């Protein structure tokens, strides 16, 4: 019984956080990693981005400013 209550609570908490996720273009960092169709613009420097994709594949691109 406790396990099912815990599982239900975790599922509800996770579902409640989904709207808080921001699209990659809305993130404010300067550098973005691209890997398998996903973009993550969470890096202030190119070195941070390269460290994140190292050994995993992917590329780093400078974020386009509008």
């Amino acid at each position: 019984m406790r396990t099912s209550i815990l599982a239900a609570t975790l599922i509800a908490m996770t579902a409640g956080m989904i709207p808080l996720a921001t699209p990659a273009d809305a993130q404010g960092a300067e550098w973005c990693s691209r890997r398998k169709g996903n973009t993550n613009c969470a890096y202030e420097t190119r070195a941070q981005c390269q460290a994140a994709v190292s050994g995993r594949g992917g590329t780093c691109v400078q974020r386009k400013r509008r």
Side-chain angles (χ1 to χ4, degrees), residues 3-45:
T3 303
S4 59
I5 292 172
L6 179 60
T9 302
L10 291 174
I11 290 170
M13 288 173 59
T14 302
M17 292 182 72
I18 290 173
L20 300 176
T22 58
D25 288 338
Q27 298 173 11
E30 185 73 20
W31 288 90
C32 303
S33 63
R34 290 190 180 153
R35 182 175 172 262
K36 295 184 179 180
N38 295 319
T39 302
N40 180 6
C41 296
Y43 310 102
E44 294 297 326
T45 66

